[in-house]
Amino acid sequence: MQNKISELLPKRLTSLIRYLGWADAPYKWRFSCSDCPLCGKSVFLSLKSNPFMTRCLRCKANITNLSLIPVIQSHFCAEYSGLVAYELSTYGSTLCWMRNNFNTVITSEFFPDRKLGEVVDGCLNQDVQNLTFDDNIFDLVTSNQVFEHVPDDIKGYRECFRVLRKGGALIFSVPLYDIKNTEQIAYLTDKNIVFVGEPEYHDSRLSGAKSAPTFWHHSFNDISKRVASAGFSKVQLVDVTIAKSQRTPEKVICAVK
């Protein structure tokens, strides 16, 4: 019955309902004042003491997405003139900030049944495992909560390395687990998804709640090594704290070519 009701609701509304379902009881909610990287001085509300459940009340962005911005600022020393960036989605606070600061920002989504490189409903279709871009054309590649959904994530890192210019950076976040090594929880066979154990799906802004299959549980113990294997000269796992009420820092991967 619950699934039938969710099918009748708008995709974003079902995701919001699920998001609120993860929150602590209201008496545990916390507020804190801080500078939002996107909109300036603001108040943050933590529905639970972690970055994903902490949001700026002005721009409504959560800290998981906002956390890429200070890492980008640090890498480029706040100088963006003439730089070209590529974001692996068409939405989000990081993208809004990039469009306000970079000369050129390319975006894309992935439509598996359509030709790579074509425009689908106004969105450029790209698979990070097989990008259609030329070598050495971007100064920055970003993504937020994407690589856990990539069947061959290391192949994706290699493609990002290929399209970056020397000195450019891949800056991204993924859910990171306190486990010894990254675990593969699904794989593809002839375009069919085979799960190892319980199937796991995340919400997608394009296709709705529980629509994006998860292939990896990435470990913070080996994520830098996995990314470095693509050829990057320097890979850092950066702790980002924006609001005191988030308590746990968001970990952002910064890989420099």
Side-chain angles (χ1 to χ4, degrees), residues 158-171:
R158 288 174 181 154
E159 278 291 271
C160 292
F161 179 86
R162 178 182 66 80
V163 300
L164 279 167
R165 294 169 178 158
K166 183 67 175 176
L170 166 63
I171 297 175

Side-chain angles (χ1 to χ4, degrees), residues 9-16 18-19 52 55 59-62 65 87-96 108-111 123 144-146 149 202-212:
L9 296 173
K11 293 175 182 177
R12 290 297 294 155
L13 181 57
T14 58
S15 294
L16 175 61
R18 277 169 46 78
Y19 182 82
F52 184 67
R55 287 184 177 270
C59 67
K60 308 302 188 293
N62 70 45
N65 198 270
E87 160 60 31
L88 297 176
S89 71
T90 56
Y91 60 90
S93 57
T94 297
L95 177 58
C96 290
S108 70
E109 297 288 351
F110 178 46
F111 304 92
C123 300
N144 202 299
Q145 315 293 288
V146 169
H149 303 296
H202 293 172
D203 295 355
S204 167
R205 184 178 289 260
L206 291 180
S207 51
K210 296 184 178 181
S211 61

Side-chain angles (χ1 to χ4, degrees), residues 4-201:
K4 289 184 179 180
I5 293 175
S6 65
E7 289 174 2
L8 298 175
L9 296 173
K11 293 175 182 177
R12 290 297 294 155
L13 181 57
T14 58
S15 294
L16 175 61
I17 292 171
R18 277 169 46 78
Y19 182 82
L20 293 174
W22 298 325
D24 284 337
Y27 72 88
K28 293 183 178 180
W29 295 1
R30 296 290 182 268
F31 292 90
S32 59
C33 297
S34 188
D35 289 329
C36 174
L38 182 60
C39 66
K41 291 188 179 299
S42 185
V43 176
F44 287 80
L45 170 61
S46 295
L47 303 181
K48 187 185 286 287
S49 295
N50 67 49
F52 184 67
M53 299 298 293
T54 301
R55 287 184 177 270
C56 171
L57 294 184
R58 286 185 64 190
C59 67
K60 308 302 188 293
N62 70 45
I63 284 179
T64 295
N65 198 270
L66 290 169
S67 62
L68 272 64
I69 299 173
V71 180
I72 297 170
Q73 291 172 321
S74 176
H75 176 72
F76 292 103
C77 300
E79 292 290 339
Y80 317 109
S81 179
L83 300 182
V84 181
Y86 170 43
E87 160 60 31
L88 297 176
S89 71
T90 56
Y91 60 90
S93 57
T94 297
L95 177 58
C96 290
W97 179 87
M98 288 162 59
R99 282 175 166 159
N100 288 332
N101 288 275
F102 283 73
N103 287 45
T104 304
V105 181
I106 307 298
T107 64
S108 70
E109 297 288 351
F110 178 46
F111 304 92
D113 299 325
R114 302 294 293 269
K115 181 180 178 182
L116 295 178
E118 75 173 357
V119 176
V120 181
D121 296 330
C123 300
L124 179 64
N125 185 27
Q126 291 289 338
D127 178 357
V128 71
Q129 301 166 113
N130 297 283
L131 296 174
T132 65
F133 304 116
D134 292 336
D135 297 352
N136 310 309
I137 61 169
F138 297 118
D139 300 285
L140 172 68
V141 177
T142 61
S143 76
N144 202 299
Q145 315 293 288
V146 169
F147 278 101
E148 69 270 30
H149 303 296
V150 178
D152 189 341
D153 65 325
I154 293 180
K155 187 176 182 183
Y157 307 143
R158 288 174 181 154
E159 278 291 271
C160 292
F161 179 86
R162 178 182 66 80
V163 300
L164 279 167
R165 294 169 178 158
K166 183 67 175 176
L170 166 63
I171 297 175
F172 70 101
S173 69
V174 289
L176 292 172
Y177 295 83
D178 187 8
I179 53 180
K180 184 177 180 180
N181 297 300
T182 292
E183 297 176 350
Q184 186 171 19
I185 63 171
Y187 58 92
L188 287 180
T189 59
D190 298 326
K191 296 188 178 181
N192 293 316
I193 301 173
V194 178
F195 285 94
V196 181
E198 187 71 20
E200 181 178 320
Y201 291 85

